[in-house]
Amino acid sequence: MRARCERTGYKNCTKAPKASWQPASAAEAAATAAGYEVRKTKVEGSCYEVYGVNKQGKLFELFYEPVDLKLMTTKAK
């Protein structure tokens, strides 16, 4: 079961060691391919949290599982 961080969204995406994670730039590329303009990326617990703006100018947080880059959730800001 994945725990949610009440403030931002997902916090625990994987139990895999960081050595098996893809680079944060891969999560940024996934967000860009989904149509977002990436503003910032950080690690939130064991997830990549990508801040992106959609074509309508609205800010979103996208949470990616760092091993396979599965999109866990998207949250409008």
Side-chain angles (χ1 to χ4, degrees):
M1 181 172 165
R2 293 186 172 94
R4 289 183 53 83
C5 177
E6 292 302 318
R7 184 175 56 82
T8 57
Y10 279 87
K11 185 175 181 181
N12 297 313
C13 290
T14 186
K15 292 184 181 196
K18 284 194 174 186
S20 66
W21 290 17
Q22 294 193 45
S25 60
E28 292 174 357
T32 300
Y36 294 91
E37 178 185 326
V38 174
R39 296 288 171 92
K40 177 173 119 175
T41 301
K42 68 178 188 174
V43 174
E44 177 73 30
S46 63
C47 302
Y48 283 134
E49 182 177 5
V50 179
Y51 292 85
V53 177
N54 69 5
K55 292 180 182 183
Q56 291 75 35
K58 186 163 181 154
L59 181 64
F60 284 85
E61 292 175 302
L62 299 94
F63 292 85
Y64 287 95
E65 193 280 338
V67 176
D68 66 7
L69 298 178
K70 177 182 174 190
L71 180 61
M72 303 303 292
T73 190
T74 303
K75 182 178 178 183
K77 288 299 291 181

